[in-house]
Amino acid sequence: MKYDYHLHTEDSYDSSLKAEPLVRKAIELNYDEIAITEHLDLLPQELRIFGLPSLMRYQKRIKALQSSHPSIKILFGIEIGDYHQVQDFAQNLVAEIPFDLILGSVHFLGDHTNIALPLPKPLTANQVKDYYLQNLNLATNCNIDVLAHLGVYKRHYPSIPDESFAYPIIKDIFSVMIERNIALEINLSSLRNGYPSFLPEPHIIELYLQQGGTKFSIGSDAHYLEHFDLYRDSIPMQYQTSFRHSN
Ligand SMILES: [Zn+2]
Ligand SMILES: [Zn+2]
């Protein structure tokens, strides 16, 4: 089963990827399922710059795409950024919309550092702990299907840091995810930015497995057509089963 559940197209302000060629490429490469997951970023500083995307227009666009490409399953998804910080607003916005898939992700630390962008220097230990506490809050309180790009702040790092000081928080995140049936995304964006692993790295995934985690999702997080399918083969077979199709 070949799938990708994290793709940004026309309704993501930072994407140059068009849905039509993406779907054609996915069919050519024998994908069974793809999920288009546009950004829903609702923090005041984001709304001020990018505005609110029309979810109705987005839904219509995906419906049209689904009916013109019956040979592949196209899921209607959304990536809600920093959901726990805008919880009621976000929940009300998406409540009546039949999304197939909701990704939750952390893009900002408590000190307002945007950790999805390249950082001038690595995060401090306190910032790393804050990052994982934000994820714990997100996983505990928000209705999401997938926790996206855990460890995203490392995607421009040159090497894998020792972060064992944060393992207790990461273990808490995983036990909440398991209890709430939230899948762990393996995100490929770090590999195309020069980081030597997908995220989270195998030693962090090992913690998830030790806690009893079994549900995986794969996301290229592509914003360009060239990034779709890139490095997908680097994911070990045992993590390749989609959580939507595992028991
Ligand atoms: Zn993201
Ligand atoms: Zn994304």
Side-chain angles (χ1 to χ4, degrees):
M1 153 110 207
K2 203 173 175 189
Y3 71 96
D4 185 335
Y5 293 158
H6 192 155
L7 294 159
H8 294 280
T9 67
E10 284 94 338
D11 282 298
S12 290
Y13 54 82
D14 59 351
S15 175
S16 305
L17 178 53
K18 300 272 176 276
E20 189 59 45
L22 167 68
V23 172
R24 283 203 302 267
K25 186 170 176 179
I27 293 169
E28 257 171 52
L29 294 173
N30 293 314
Y31 274 73
D32 300 287
E33 288 187 0
I34 58 168
I36 300 193
T37 54
E38 306 295 23
H39 287 292
L40 186 62
D41 288 335
L42 302 172
L43 291 172
Q45 68 266 31
E46 297 172 303
L47 280 179
R48 214 162 40 228
I49 300 170
F50 305 113
L52 193 60
S54 165
L55 298 177
M56 283 300 149
R57 190 190 58 204
Y58 173 32
Q59 184 181 7
K60 275 191 198 146
R61 184 166 68 81
I62 298 301
K63 273 191 183 154
L65 210 56
Q66 288 163 336
S67 46
S68 55
H69 297 285
S71 62
I72 185 167
K73 176 124 178 109
I74 302 170
L75 303 176
F76 175 42
I78 195 91
E79 176 186 5
I80 306 181
D82 306 284
Y83 197 164
H84 57 296
Q85 296 203 48
V86 287
Q87 200 175 345
D88 292 345
F89 183 29
Q91 210 165 300
N92 286 327
L93 269 181
V94 301
E96 304 296 322
I97 304 173
F99 286 111
D100 298 308
L101 197 66
I102 297 183
L103 313 186
S105 60
V106 172
H107 294 138
F108 284 90
L109 300 182
D111 66 9
H112 303 298
T113 304
N114 181 341
I115 41 90
L117 298 175
L119 297 160
K121 55 180 189 317
L123 297 186
T124 64
N126 278 336
Q127 285 179 310
V128 170
K129 279 193 232 162
D130 176 54
Y131 171 77
Y132 287 109
L133 287 170
Q134 304 270 353
N135 276 276
L136 180 59
N137 188 342
L138 172 66
T140 306
N141 296 303
C142 302
N143 292 326
I144 58 172
D145 302 301
V146 176
L147 186 68
H149 58 55
L150 188 68
V152 68
Y153 59 90
K154 287 177 273 188
R155 77 180 157 190
H156 300 92
Y157 282 17
S159 58
I160 298 176
D162 174 11
E163 297 175 315
S164 41
F165 63 88
Y167 284 7
I169 310 173
I170 296 174
K171 287 182 184 173
D172 286 348
I173 297 171
F174 290 153
S175 57
V176 167
M177 287 171 68
I178 292 162
E179 192 187 307
R180 301 194 67 221
N181 239 336
I182 298 169
L184 179 65
E185 178 184 272
I186 298 180
N187 186 288
L188 296 167
S189 67
S190 51
L191 288 167
R192 55 179 189 263
N193 285 298
Y195 191 64
S197 174
F198 44 74
L199 288 170
E201 306 86 338
H203 63 280
I204 305 280
I205 294 177
E206 194 54 41
L207 300 176
Y208 177 64
L209 296 172
Q210 282 166 13
Q211 306 265 118
T214 55
K215 296 191 180 305
F216 290 99
S217 181
I218 293 173
S220 64
D221 208 349
H223 291 65
Y224 296 89
L225 189 59
E226 311 83 85
H227 292 167
F228 173 63
D229 197 57
L230 203 58
Y231 299 111
R232 201 186 180 287
D233 291 346
S234 70
I235 299 176
M237 275 311 287
Q238 67 265 35
Y239 310 145
Q240 290 212 11
T241 306
S242 148
F243 73 97
R244 289 171 47 87
H245 299 271
S246 66
N247 50 68

